[in-house]
Amino acid sequence: MAYVTRQYQAVLQCVEGRDEAAFTAAELAEDLRQAGCPVGLATVYRQLDKLESSGLVHKVPTEEGALYQRCPHPAGGQDCFLLRCEHCGRIVHLDCEQMEALCRHLADAHHFRIDPRRTVLTGRCQTCMNQEDAYGTP
Amino acid sequence: MAYVTRQYQAVLQCVEGRDEAAFTAAELAEDLRQAGCPVGLATVYRQLDKLESSGLVHKVPTEEGALYQRCPHPAGGQDCFLLRCEHCGRIVHLDCEQMEALCRHLADAHHFRIDPRRTVLTGRCQTCMNQEDAYGTP
DNA sequence: ACGAAAATGATTCTCATTTTCAATTTACAG
DNA sequence: CTGTAAATTGAAAATGAGAATCATTTTCGT
């Protein structure tokens, strides 16, 4: 049975109080410390794992470690896809009928069921594309 | 200027001699050792990076470290998407007009250009879906 | 051959994440 | 209120993939 601990409440509140931006476990731990509710890093990782399981946050693995981000959908538990700009690191939610149609097609024609929780569409956002046009593609 | 080294040739040959299955850098190093062409692990990483840059192999980051896989397209350098079964680990190439249509849609309507080289669609293959039906979803 | 540039590889380092485990906290029954 | 069993915590240690170092070796145009 799950216990409701001070640390659980602190992490939940801190995540919900955030704007829609990605953060690392270490950053969240630092925020909690500054808010006067210090939570051990190991526990932060554990709580974030739980919040991910319940669909309240997304976990986005990157080369430099995992990023977490509050799921903007009301109740959580939604299956939504993420777009991640590999240049500026921004992560946005994708609500797109055509994406869902593709999933149905992959299931029907390719016998493959995509798991939105594990899939991150990575590329470039418009801002970064424009920057590259200006500076010459790096 | 790039030099053609014994190690480069060994890695290239070993990768090309493989069937279409994913492998780790350490596995490739072990294969090379057993084949009598030992190559240092650091060099295996470096060579695989080069082969990825040239489009000859795909690099698939996973929780337990990166997997590499020969790109089945003739000349390499193709932009293709990968489907990865998170249950059995199998990685297959996706050739799908609808996927390409989605990319165009994301570029046009969502101002986001997907990079196939960085995107792995993760989910379940049919074999594993059937297994789960039989055993009860784990 | 000669020498500059490139590559190698054993080793060391980094650093995010996990594990360990004793101490603490929670939930609940009596 | 206790007692207590199970869940949780966190500091410290372990892990492990991959990157960095750097002295040595190899490549290749001249």
Side-chain angles (χ1 to χ4, degrees), chain B residues 3 5 7 43 46-47:
Chain B
Y3 291 169
T5 64
Q7 290 85 347
T43 300
R46 287 187 281 238
Q47 293 295 349

Side-chain angles (χ1 to χ4, degrees), chain B:
Chain B
M1 184 198 312
Y3 291 169
V4 177
T5 64
R6 174 184 72 77
Q7 290 85 347
Y8 166 77
Q9 293 173 317
V11 168
L12 183 63
Q13 184 183 330
C14 194
V15 165
E16 285 182 336
R18 279 183 167 271
D19 56 357
E20 191 181 328
F23 52 90
T24 65
E27 283 166 5
L28 189 66
E30 177 58 25
D31 280 10
L32 288 164
R33 187 174 309 116
Q34 301 223 345
C37 305
V39 176
L41 189 53
T43 300
V44 170
Y45 276 109
R46 287 187 281 238
Q47 293 295 349
L48 285 173
D49 276 355
K50 288 183 188 173
L51 291 177
E52 197 220 356
S53 296
S54 69
L56 242 159
V57 307
H58 297 290
K59 179 179 185 177
V60 182
T62 76
E63 309 281 329
E64 304 84 36
L67 293 174
Y68 300 84
Q69 182 166 10
R70 199 189 75 233
C71 177
H73 287 148
Q78 306 287 333
D79 282 345
C80 36
F81 284 95
L82 299 176
L83 295 175
R84 171 171 165 263
C85 177
E86 63 187 327
H87 191 250
C88 67
R90 200 156 54 95
I91 296 169
V92 298
H93 279 73
L94 177 63
D95 263 310
C96 177
E97 167 55 34
Q98 205 151 334
M99 184 73 211
E100 289 164 25
L102 175 72
C103 285
R104 288 192 295 272
H105 170 73
L106 291 178
D108 294 346
H110 299 265
H111 311 298
F112 206 98
R113 186 187 299 155
I114 302 296
D115 180 356
R117 306 270 281 264
R118 301 280 151 86
T119 299
V120 181
L121 301 167
T122 303
R124 299 274 168 144
C125 67
Q126 186 155 51
T127 307
C128 291
M129 282 194 286
N130 293 341
Q131 271 182 21
E132 285 168 13
D133 289 347
Y135 290 107
T137 311

